[in-house]
Amino acid sequence: MPIKKQYLKSKPLLKVTFEIEKEEALGAKSIVLLSEHNDWSAIELKKFKNGKFKVTENIPTAGNNSFQFIYIATADAGNEFNILPTDADDLVDNGMNNGGKNALLQITQ
């Protein structure tokens, strides 16, 4: 479940590519990224023919050290389930009193 970071030299942005391999998608028909960097608005990952899901986002670095995120997948039957990335910088409590976790990605270099 690769997460790739690229710091842009010309702008105060971090280009982040979120990618989920077919095996990690667990048969999902669609996956969205929910993230603190855009007030938890859903961003749909593109599904490729090989079963991989991927999206790239530009994250402002000014005033931010990190942000939380999570993937929500939808199965063919319509049920939703969370996918936590194995390569996030950390996992933190989601604050929902259910023991759930959010992934944390560090922005600072």
Side-chain angles (χ1 to χ4, degrees):
M1 197 174 301
I3 297 174
K4 299 173 188 160
K5 299 180 196 177
Q6 178 185 359
Y7 294 91
L8 302 182
K9 294 178 183 178
S10 61
K11 298 178 184 175
L13 295 173
L14 172 63
K15 183 177 180 178
V16 182
T17 301
F18 301 90
E19 193 172 304
I20 300 175
E21 299 293 335
K22 178 181 180 177
E23 301 76 26
E24 298 163 325
L26 304 172
K29 72 173 183 178
S30 65
I31 299 176
V32 295
L33 168 72
L34 298 177
S35 174
E36 225 175 7
H37 86 276
N38 71 343
D39 295 324
W40 301 100
S41 296
I43 300 167
E44 188 162 358
L45 279 75
K46 180 179 179 182
K47 185 174 184 178
F48 292 87
K49 289 181 182 180
N50 63 3
K52 180 189 298 188
F53 289 82
K54 185 176 176 179
V55 70
T56 300
E57 283 288 299
N58 289 325
I59 314 293
T61 57
N64 296 311
N65 294 327
S66 63
F67 66 92
Q68 295 181 39
F69 69 97
I70 193 165
Y71 301 114
I72 306 291
T74 303
D76 283 330
N79 56 310
E80 293 184 341
F81 58 96
N82 295 352
I83 299 176
L84 278 175
T86 55
D87 58 349
D89 294 324
D90 201 359
L91 297 177
V92 296
D93 181 60
N94 68 8
M96 302 296 285
N97 297 324
N98 63 359
K101 300 285 184 187
N102 286 340
L104 186 75
L105 199 65
Q106 298 294 333
I107 294 175
T108 54
Q109 291 188 36

